[in-house]
Every structure is written in structure tokens, then in C-alpha cells.
């Protein structure tokens, strides 16, 4: 009976030890060993020796099978992901709607104060330059003068027509008098009613007044619009940045909904249209390969063992079990 016990036990121990050694030789030694100038066989371990090839294979496998366009697009555009993004945007907007911080204070959480002021000043300066260039053109001054004269003429004609008619009808005195005399004089000189004469007189003033007004407006816009517009924009920008977020967003429910919808739409279109370029630019294969090659073997060994230590331990015990069986079978054969 003793051989039937000893042989399986010895086989079990041998199987356990050989499998354990084989697994350890996958990683160790990390570097080649030399004796009298000759490299010791099986050094370095299999994984350290084939590290470069393994890195290239893993990188290619991940980029082709795990992180390709179809897989990423399916996950990034899934209903679950879109719902998470929608909820995150709404929480973000809701936080802003109740925030007592001013826009300047809120932005300072993400940007240095100097950068915020620089951006604001640059924006105002660019708008000032653009508006000054537009306002300084003769076309703008002419349009303003024309609109102003047209408006004044309309008011004067309405007022003057009433005065002319009153004069022509003898409005200053009943049955004649000074008003009747003026009315008869207007009809005699112009051959028109008092209202028509007044309109003609006002119209005759329009062109010279418009020209003079246009020249003055153009001069003012060319020489002073930059200063006026600049001061106005900087004042408004400072006021805008100083307003609390809860006041800026008060009553803006429709705008917030449009913002959320626009961001979701932009996200989906970016994933659909730009994902191939993003993947090409990122080059997942090279990133994975470089990262593995940069790893110290101790770090790589720890990562691998953390993932499959249970499975490797099962292989060791499987070797012990197979050794036990082979020892028992060997006794039966002999």
C-alpha cells in the first residue's frame, strides 16, 4: 500500500513545484544573467524577453478589437450615455441658476482673474475696432442724416400744414384780418393752398439740412466713435461680468433647454463625424505599445498578477492534481 500513497504524493509535489516554477519563469528574472561571460539559459524570463513584441501585439489587439470606431461609437452614443450627459448638463445648469456668484467669480474658478480681464478687454477692443470702422464709413453717416431729416420733415409738415391752413383760412381772426391776408398772399404768390406752400417750403430745406447734418455726423463718427463705443462696451462688459449668475439666468428656462439640446446635438455630430479623425490622431495602438514598453518589469508583473493571480494559482494546484494522478497511474502500470 505504501507505493500507492507515496508515488501520488511525490507526483503531486513535483507537479505543484514545476508549475509554480514555470509561472515564475514567465516574469523572472527580469534581466539576463551571465556566468563566466555566458548567458544563463531562460534568462531573462519569457515576458521580459518578449516585452516589445507583446506590447505591439496588445496595442494592435486593443485598437482593432476593443477601441475601434464601431465599439466606441456604439457606447458613446448609447441611450444610457446620452441620458447621463443630459442629466449632467441639467445639473450643471441648475447649479448655475441658483448660484449667487457673479459671472466673474464663477469664471475665476476655472481661469485666472487676469485671463478673464484680458479676454473681456480683448473682446471689447475687437468689437470697438469693428464698430468704429463701420460707423466711420460715409454710408452710415449719410443714412443717419437721411433718417433724421426724414423724421423731422414728417413732424414739421404735419405741424406746418396745420399752421398754413389756419393762416390761409384766417385763423388769427374771423372774417379776414391778418390770417386772411397771409392766406391770400400765399395763394397769390404760389398758386397753392397754405398747406401745399408749407410742404414745399419744408421740402426745399431738406437737402441742404441733410447734407450739413451728414457732414457733421460723419466727422463725429470718424473722430470720436472709437472712444464713445469703447467706453460704452467696457462699461457694459464690466456690468455683465459683475451680475450674479442667478440673475443672469433668471427666466431663461427656454434658453437653457436650447443650450442642453444644442450641446447634445453637437456631441452626437462630433462623435459621428469626427471620431475617425480623433482615433487617428490619438493612435491608441501606439499609446498602449509605448506605455507597456515604458513600464518597469516589476510594475508590469504586479499588474498582470493583480488581474490573473487567481487563475495562475489554479494552474499550480492543477499541476499538483495532475502529478497526483500520474503518480497513482504509474503505480498501477508498474
Amino acid at each position: 500500500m505504501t507505493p500507492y500513497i507515496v508515488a501520488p504524493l511525490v507526483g503531486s509535489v513535483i507537479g505543484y513545484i514545476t508549475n509554480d516554477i514555470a509561472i515564475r519563469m514567465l516574469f523572472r528574472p527580469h534581466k539576463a544573467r551571465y556566468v563566466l561571460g555566458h548567458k544563463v539559459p531562460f534568462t531573462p524570463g519569457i515576458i521580459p524577453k518578449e516585452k516589445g513584441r507583446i506590447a505591439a501585439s496588445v496595442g494592435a489587439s486593443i485598437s482593432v478589437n476593443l477601441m475601434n470606431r464601431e465599439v466606441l461609437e456604439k457606447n458613446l452614443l448609447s441611450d444610457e450615455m446620452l441620458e447621463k450627459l443630459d442629466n449632467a448638463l441639467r445639473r450643471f445648469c441648475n447649479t448655475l441658476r441658483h448660484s449667487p456668484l457673479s459671472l466673474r467669480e464663477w469664471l475665476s474658478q476655472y481661469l485666472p482673474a487676469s485671463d478673464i480681464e484680458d479676454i473681456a478687454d480683448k473682446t471689447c477692443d475687437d468689437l470697438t475696432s469693428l464698430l468704429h470702422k463701420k460707423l466711420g464709413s460715409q454710408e452710415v453717416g449719410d443714412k443717419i442724416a437721411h433718417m433724421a431729416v426724414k423724421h423731422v420733415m414728417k413732424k414739421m409738415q404735419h405741424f406746418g400744414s396745420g399752421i398754413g391752413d389756419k393762416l390761409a383760412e384766417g385763423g388769427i381772426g374771423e372774417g379776414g384780418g391778418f390770417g386772411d391776408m397771409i392766406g391770400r398772399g400765399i395763394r397769390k404768390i404760389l398758386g397753392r393752398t397754405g398747406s401745399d406752400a408749407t410742404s414745399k417750403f419744408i421740402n426745399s430745406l431738406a437737402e441742404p439740412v441733410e447734407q450739413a447734418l451728414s457732414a457733421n455726423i460723419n466727422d463725429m463718427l470718424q473722430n470720436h466713435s472709437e472712444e464713445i463705443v469703447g467706453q460704452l462696451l467696457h462699461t457694459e462688459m464690466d456690468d455683465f461680468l459683475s451680475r450674479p449668475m442667478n440673475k443672469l439666468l433668471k427666466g431663461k428656462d427656454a434658453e437653457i433647454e436650447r443650450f442642453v439640446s444644442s450641446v447634445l446635438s453637437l456631441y452626437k455630430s462630433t462623435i459621428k463625424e469626427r471620431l475617425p479623425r480623433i482615433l487617428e490622431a490619438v493612435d491608441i495602438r501606439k499609446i498602449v505599445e509605448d506605455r507597456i514598453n515604458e513600464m518597469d518589469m516589476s510594475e508590469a508583473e504586479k499588474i498582470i498578477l493583480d488581474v490573473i493571480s487567481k487563475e495562475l494559482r489554479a494552474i499550480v494546484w492543477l499541476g499538483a492534481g495532475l502529478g497526483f494522478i500520474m503518480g497513482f497511474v504509474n503505480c498501477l502500470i508498474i
Side-chain angles (χ1 to χ4, degrees):
M1 286 295 293
T2 301
Y4 290 96
I5 297 175
V6 174
L9 287 177
V10 171
S12 177
V13 172
I14 292 173
Y16 181 93
I17 293 174
T18 53
N19 277 18
D20 186 68
I21 292 174
I23 289 174
R24 291 178 185 276
M25 289 178 67
L26 289 172
F27 305 97
R28 297 174 180 274
H30 295 164
K31 297 180 180 180
R33 299 283 190 256
Y34 294 87
V35 175
L36 300 176
H38 297 283
K39 188 168 78 72
V40 177
F42 305 109
T43 64
I46 296 174
I47 291 178
K49 183 179 180 180
E50 301 294 333
K51 184 179 178 182
R53 183 186 62 79
I54 293 172
S57 298
V58 172
S61 180
I62 290 176
S63 64
V64 172
N65 300 308
L66 301 180
M67 299 289 284
N68 58 40
R69 176 183 176 180
E70 290 74 19
V71 173
L72 288 174
E73 188 171 306
K74 179 181 178 181
N75 285 275
L76 293 174
L77 295 178
S78 65
D79 292 339
E80 182 181 1
M81 178 61 74
L82 293 176
E83 184 179 358
K84 287 181 179 179
L85 181 58
D86 181 84
N87 292 335
L89 287 170
R90 293 184 184 280
R91 286 196 301 270
F92 172 74
C93 292
N94 191 55
T95 300
L96 292 183
R97 289 175 62 184
H98 296 88
S99 175
L101 297 176
S102 67
L103 178 57
R104 180 183 281 106
E105 291 170 334
W106 181 79
L107 289 173
S108 66
Q109 298 176 98
Y110 308 97
L111 293 172
S114 58
D115 287 353
I116 297 173
E117 299 306 323
D118 288 344
I119 293 171
D121 290 340
K122 183 67 167 57
T123 302
C124 290
D125 291 343
D126 289 345
L127 286 174
T128 298
S129 179
L130 177 63
L131 291 174
H132 172 64
K133 183 177 179 180
K134 294 295 183 181
L135 292 173
S137 67
Q138 186 174 355
E139 183 181 356
V140 174
D142 293 346
K143 286 182 178 179
I144 294 175
H146 179 72
M147 293 174 64
V149 170
K150 184 178 180 181
H151 178 75
V152 172
M153 282 179 60
K154 185 176 180 180
K155 294 293 184 181
M156 289 181 65
Q157 284 178 343
H158 177 73
F159 178 75
S161 295
I163 294 295
D165 288 341
K166 288 293 183 181
L167 291 173
E169 293 171 2
I172 295 178
E174 295 182 1
F178 181 72
D180 184 57
M181 180 181 69
I182 294 297
R184 287 197 305 271
I186 290 173
R187 285 192 293 271
K188 183 176 180 181
I189 294 172
L190 300 175
R192 296 173 180 272
T193 65
S195 178
D196 291 339
T198 304
S199 297
K200 183 177 180 181
F201 174 72
I202 293 173
N203 288 331
S204 67
L205 296 176
E207 185 175 349
V209 169
E210 183 174 327
Q211 290 177 352
L213 185 60
S214 176
N216 281 278
I217 292 175
N218 285 326
D219 180 68
M220 182 193 71
L221 292 176
Q222 290 171 3
N223 296 310
H224 304 290
S225 63
E226 187 168 17
E227 179 184 355
I228 295 172
V229 171
Q231 290 178 351
L232 178 63
L233 286 177
H234 279 85
T235 300
E236 289 300 316
M237 179 63 76
D238 183 68
D239 179 65
F240 179 69
L241 291 173
S242 299
R243 294 180 189 175
M245 295 299 298
N246 52 16
K247 289 187 177 180
L248 282 173
L249 297 178
K250 185 177 181 180
K252 302 293 184 180
D253 293 348
E255 289 79 356
I256 290 174
E257 286 297 323
R258 284 197 295 270
F259 167 76
V260 172
S261 177
S262 297
V263 172
L264 286 173
S265 177
L266 178 62
Y267 170 78
K268 288 187 283 189
S269 64
T270 299
I271 296 300
K272 290 179 180 179
E273 299 171 10
R274 305 294 180 184
L275 186 58
R277 293 184 182 180
I278 294 173
L279 290 175
E280 183 179 348
V282 171
D283 195 355
I284 294 173
R285 180 196 64 77
K286 190 173 187 307
I287 290 175
V288 174
E289 182 178 347
D290 291 346
R291 179 67 186 105
I292 292 175
N293 283 324
E294 290 169 0
M295 278 185 182
D296 180 77
M297 270 313 303
S298 298
E299 181 184 3
E301 180 181 359
K302 183 178 183 302
I303 292 173
I304 295 173
L305 291 177
D306 285 343
V307 175
I308 60 172
S309 61
K310 184 177 180 180
E311 289 74 15
L312 294 177
R313 184 51 50 189
I315 291 174
V316 172
W317 284 107
L318 181 61
L322 289 174
F324 183 89
I325 294 172
M326 294 303 296
F328 185 78
V329 170
N330 186 55
C331 290
L332 294 177
I333 295 174
I334 294 175

